[in-house]
Amino acid sequence: MNRPIVFDSPFLLGFDHTRSLIERVAKAAAESYPPYNVEDRGDGALRITLAVAGFTPDQLHVTVEDRQLTIAGKRESAGEEAYLHRGIAARGFVRSFVLADGMTVEGALLEHGLLHIDLIRPEPERLVQRIPIRTGG
């Protein structure tokens, strides 16, 4: 069932960016592989951990474009192995997260089959701007 998005209203002009953001979030929420955790590390820091067992660092790509964090994994098949049971997923994936303004990726670490991506939101600088006062006449 498709619900009309409230930003289609003729009374809300100039909200195209917000609508695009909502569509990107809805698409990202529909993805289910690989499983992941999001951990609040305090002071505006977050850690996203993805279960990527069997992937090497060369098979994983972490990118940020237009406030969208994308993690992609692609495995090359080594050949036709004969499995009696195959319960470990070997498929590639793309998982996306929409980042808030000011959120930056601090780094990524692959250990024990888990890919950790650390995010920080630095405290914004407080700018005080002095406005000169002109006199008239």
Side-chain angles (χ1 to χ4, degrees), residues 7 14-26 28 46 48 62-71 95-105 117 119-121:
F7 295 104
F15 285 90
D16 297 336
H17 175 72
T18 305
R19 178 182 180 173
S20 172
L21 182 63
I22 290 171
E23 289 172 355
R24 285 177 22 200
V25 168
L46 299 174
I48 300 171
V62 179
T63 58
V64 177
E65 181 180 352
D66 191 27
R67 292 182 17 216
Q68 181 161 320
L69 170 65
T70 303
I71 303 105
R95 165 127 354 237
S96 298
F97 300 88
V98 178
L99 303 179
D101 285 334
M103 185 76 64
T104 59
V105 176
I117 300 170
L119 306 164
I120 57 170
R121 179 186 279 172

Side-chain angles (χ1 to χ4, degrees), residues 40-129:
D40 184 354
R41 304 192 79 186
D43 295 328
L46 299 174
R47 173 174 268 189
I48 300 171
T49 301
L50 289 92
V52 292
F55 285 89
T56 66
D58 294 340
Q59 296 169 328
L60 297 167
H61 302 283
V62 179
T63 58
V64 177
E65 181 180 352
D66 191 27
R67 292 182 17 216
Q68 181 161 320
L69 170 65
T70 303
I71 303 105
K74 184 172 183 181
R75 287 165 113 174
E76 302 296 327
S77 60
E80 292 297 319
E81 292 87 4
Y83 289 97
L84 297 178
H85 171 75
R86 188 166 188 172
I88 299 172
R91 66 181 187 244
F93 68 89
V94 175
R95 165 127 354 237
S96 298
F97 300 88
V98 178
L99 303 179
D101 285 334
M103 185 76 64
T104 59
V105 176
E106 189 175 44
L109 171 68
L110 179 63
E111 67 177 349
H112 308 296
L114 298 173
L115 177 62
H116 304 288
I117 300 170
D118 292 320
L119 306 164
I120 57 170
R121 179 186 279 172
E123 192 69 32
E125 293 181 23
R126 293 188 174 249
L127 293 175
V128 176
Q129 183 180 6

